[in-house]
């Protein structure tokens, strides 16, 4: 069987975890490895502040708190995304306004955002699907015009670029995921990136249960106390140590994923040219991190058949999001603005193929061969 996903493991994770236990003697939050990870993001991606969190879901919750979301505020997001993208805002009382996606990238259609804006709108959440950037220039322009926050859900976009700039650093806040299914993993974990320095102090407070404990540890106040609302969003050092081993190897992990991605892309050229399937599209301003390789087939029925065929040939492939606006909670907490032309239709056509760090290139050639074979009939 060829697995769909195997969490990344580089080899030095154990050594660093043992170091955290034995040498550093810090396994609670914000120890040396957490600081190393934060600095790695700040330096590599050129952002004012990065803070590791317990998940991307929690990074999004922090963003929602930092945007001061209140009951009745509206938040614009695609419906083709993971629940956490919007749940974080619903928790603060927001109403979600879903906007259709572009069929080429599966990202929010930037040209439909303006129509969804009302006097209650507070935030736009671009989700960089498959690590391919949304049209950020346009989105930032709209946000500026209407004075809205932009929270990037860059869970899948670590190491991807838009016009040479790292995803997660373009909007006011960027959220990363280090879940086991993402390019870099710490088991469960994430990070929030903060563009404007003015928000750093409050972010630290929210992350530390609403206290100014971070300031206390830096010796800036002589005791810490409860100063704001907050929760516990900082991960254990053990998880940070695990992640840091992978960040050190980020370039080679990235290259390996892109190599796999390209084998799929080239091997499926023929089927694409004959318009039997569609491959992912990368706009010229976007640099990919090889997070995901998907194909789109004719319809839902064809997809179900193909997934079964691949399974019978020892290959695990999977579909992805069921649009949120058609779910029970989505109907309760959101509304779809405009017409769902592509969200449902395109989501039903999409199949994700195995792609993970270290995936054997012969396996990819075999998968490509089998897919070609399937459509030969
Ligand atoms: C994985 C993912 C999340 C959630 O990440 P966690 O770290 O598991 O909380 C949120 N949004 C998107 C788009 C994701 O792919």
């Amino acid at each position: 069987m060829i697995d769909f996903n195997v969490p990344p493991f580089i080899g030095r994770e154990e050594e660093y975890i043992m170091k955290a236990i034995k040498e550093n003697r810090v396994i609670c939050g914000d120890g040396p490895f957490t600081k190393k990870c934060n600095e790695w993001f700040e330096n590599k991606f050129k952002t004012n502040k990065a803070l590791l969190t317990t998940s991307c879901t929690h990074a999004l919750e922090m963003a929602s708190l930092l945007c001061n979301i209140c009951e009745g505020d509206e938040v614009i997001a695609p419906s083709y995304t993971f629940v956490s993208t919007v749940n974080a805002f619903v928790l603060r009382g927001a109403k979600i306004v879903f906007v259709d996606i572009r069929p080429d990238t599966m990202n929010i259609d930037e040209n439909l955002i303006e129509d969804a804006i009302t006097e209650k709108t507070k935030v736009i959440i671009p989700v960089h699907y498959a690590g391919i950037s949304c049209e950020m220039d346009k989105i930032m322009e709209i946000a500026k015009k209407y004075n809205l926050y932009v929270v990037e859900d860059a869970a899948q976009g670590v190491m991807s670029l838009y016009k040479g700039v790292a995803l997660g650093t373009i909007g006011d806040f960027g959220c990363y995921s280090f879940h086991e299914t993402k390019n870099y993993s710490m088991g469960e974990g994430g990070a929030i990136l903060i563009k404007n320095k003015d928000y750093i102090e409050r972010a630290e407070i929210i992350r530390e249960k609403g206290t100014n404990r971070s300031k206390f540890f830096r010796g800036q106040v002589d005791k810490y106390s409860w100063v704001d609302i907050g929760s516990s969003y900082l991960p254990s050092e053990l998880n940070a140590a695990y992640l840091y081993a992978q960040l050190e190897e980020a370039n080679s992990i990235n290259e390996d994923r892109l190599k796999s991605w390209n084998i799929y892309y080239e091997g499926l050229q023929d089927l694409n040219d004959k318009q039997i399937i569609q491959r992912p599209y990368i706009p010229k301003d976007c640099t990919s991190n090889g997070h995901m390789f998907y194909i789109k087939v004719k319809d839902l029925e064809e997809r179900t058949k193909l997934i079964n065929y691949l399974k019978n040939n020892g290959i695990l492939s999977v579909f992805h999001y069921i649009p949120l606006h058609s779910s029970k909670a989505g109907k309760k907490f959101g509304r779809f603005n405009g017409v769902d032309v592509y969200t449902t239709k395109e989501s039903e056509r999409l199949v994700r193929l195995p792609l993970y760090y270290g995936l054997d290139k012969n396996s990819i050639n075999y998968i490509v061969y089998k897919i070609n074979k399937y459509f030969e009939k």
Side-chain angles (χ1 to χ4, degrees):
M1 267 298 184
I2 301 172
D3 287 317
F4 170 70
N5 177 60
V6 175
F9 186 79
I10 203 84
R12 214 164 298 133
E13 288 88 344
E14 285 166 295
E15 180 193 328
Y16 285 180
I17 284 180
M18 289 317 289
K19 191 173 152 74
I21 297 170
K22 287 187 172 153
E23 290 176 39
N24 300 345
R25 296 185 181 233
V26 179
I27 58 161
C28 54
D30 280 338
F33 279 110
T34 302
K35 292 202 174 83
K36 274 175 189 264
C37 290
N38 293 345
E39 282 164 15
W40 190 92
F41 294 121
E42 288 159 12
N43 297 330
K44 178 104 178 161
F45 299 150
K46 301 186 175 54
T47 185
N48 271 321
K49 195 74 198 167
L51 293 168
L52 277 193
T53 58
T54 28
S55 64
C56 181
T57 301
H58 281 166
L60 288 157
E61 285 181 22
M62 280 185 67
S64 170
L65 286 161
L66 288 163
C67 293
N68 263 325
I69 295 297
C70 303
E71 193 71 39
D73 286 345
E74 289 182 1
V75 165
I76 296 173
S79 170
Y80 186 69
T81 186
F82 188 60
V83 290
S84 295
T85 309
V86 297
N87 234 342
F89 294 83
V90 170
L91 277 171
R92 308 301 313 153
K95 187 104 188 157
I96 310 302
V97 179
F98 296 111
V99 166
D100 209 8
I101 53 167
R102 292 166 44 147
D104 57 356
T105 57
M106 305 297 284
N107 283 335
I108 191 166
D109 187 336
E110 66 280 2
N111 294 314
L112 299 176
I113 292 173
E114 214 162 346
D115 186 59
I117 294 173
T118 71
E119 68 277 5
K120 290 180 181 159
T121 309
K122 214 156 180 185
V123 183
I124 306 171
I125 318 173
V127 180
H128 306 299
Y129 187 69
I132 308 300
S133 181
C134 296
E135 210 28 79
M136 290 309 290
D137 276 357
K138 177 79 193 249
I139 292 170
M140 295 309 288
E141 185 192 306
I142 296 169
K144 195 168 172 200
K145 183 172 163 191
Y146 293 93
N147 197 25
L148 306 175
Y149 285 105
V150 173
V151 175
E152 292 180 75
D153 183 338
Q156 303 172 18
V158 183
M159 291 285 277
S160 287
L161 310 172
Y162 174 73
K163 297 191 174 177
V165 180
L167 299 191
T169 68
I170 304 165
D172 299 280
F173 306 106
C175 303
Y176 287 164
S177 174
F178 306 114
H179 184 257
E180 62 163 341
T181 53
K182 302 304 193 309
N183 291 23
Y184 309 93
S185 173
M186 52 197 276
E188 297 281 351
I192 182 167
L193 275 54
I194 299 161
K195 186 159 84 175
N196 182 339
K197 283 197 172 101
D198 296 345
Y199 288 90
I200 296 173
E201 187 177 334
R202 180 145 194 251
E204 287 178 342
I205 289 167
I206 287 170
R207 183 168 166 271
E208 271 280 22
K209 300 97 180 162
T211 72
N212 55 355
R213 194 159 175 252
S214 298
K215 261 188 151 172
F216 170 72
F217 278 128
R218 286 195 295 264
Q220 293 163 332
V221 286
D222 57 13
K223 60 177 184 298
Y224 75 87
S225 63
W226 185 24
V227 292
D228 200 342
I229 54 169
S231 191
S232 185
Y233 293 129
L234 70 166
S236 149
E237 267 291 280
L238 300 182
N239 298 65
Y242 195 97
L243 178 66
Y244 191 67
Q246 293 177 20
L247 295 182
E248 283 187 326
E249 298 295 331
N251 288 333
S252 53
I253 292 176
N254 200 49
E255 275 164 32
D256 181 72
R257 297 190 76 110
L258 287 171
K259 198 181 272 179
S260 297
W261 196 96
N262 282 317
I263 298 173
Y264 278 126
Y265 193 77
E266 283 158 25
L268 297 168
Q269 167 109 37
D270 242 24
L271 289 176
N272 180 77
D273 293 352
K274 290 180 186 150
Q275 297 183 1
I276 294 168
I277 64 156
Q278 262 176 287
R279 295 174 298 179
Y281 166 70
I282 304 181
K284 71 170 183 3
D285 290 329
C286 302
T287 308
S288 167
N289 61 358
H291 173 64
M292 183 196 302
F293 193 92
Y294 64 78
I295 59 173
K296 286 197 268 179
V297 299
K298 195 172 85 220
D299 53 22
L300 182 59
E301 196 190 332
E302 183 86 278
R303 180 177 76 178
T304 308
K305 276 197 225 156
L306 178 62
I307 290 175
N308 283 330
Y309 163 86
L310 290 173
K311 195 170 167 195
N312 292 334
N313 283 279
I315 301 158
L316 294 177
S317 65
V318 291
F319 56 85
H320 214 178
Y321 308 125
I322 306 213
L324 297 179
H325 73 281
S326 58
S327 67
K328 186 177 158 200
K331 283 181 189 141
K332 185 170 174 191
F333 300 116
R335 66 173 173 90
F336 198 97
N337 191 72
V339 184
D340 169 11
V341 180
Y342 295 114
T343 300
T344 301
K345 187 170 141 247
E346 296 300 302
S347 70
E348 289 180 345
R349 300 174 54 208
L350 188 142
V351 193
R352 296 184 288 158
L353 302 176
L355 206 170
Y356 50 85
Y357 170 66
L359 171 58
D360 178 12
K361 307 304 173 249
N362 291 326
S363 297
I364 305 174
N365 283 319
Y366 170 74
I367 297 165
V368 163
Y369 167 78
K370 282 293 174 189
I371 293 173
N372 276 294
K373 199 93 189 144
Y374 172 83
F375 286 106
E376 233 170 46
K377 52 187 185 205

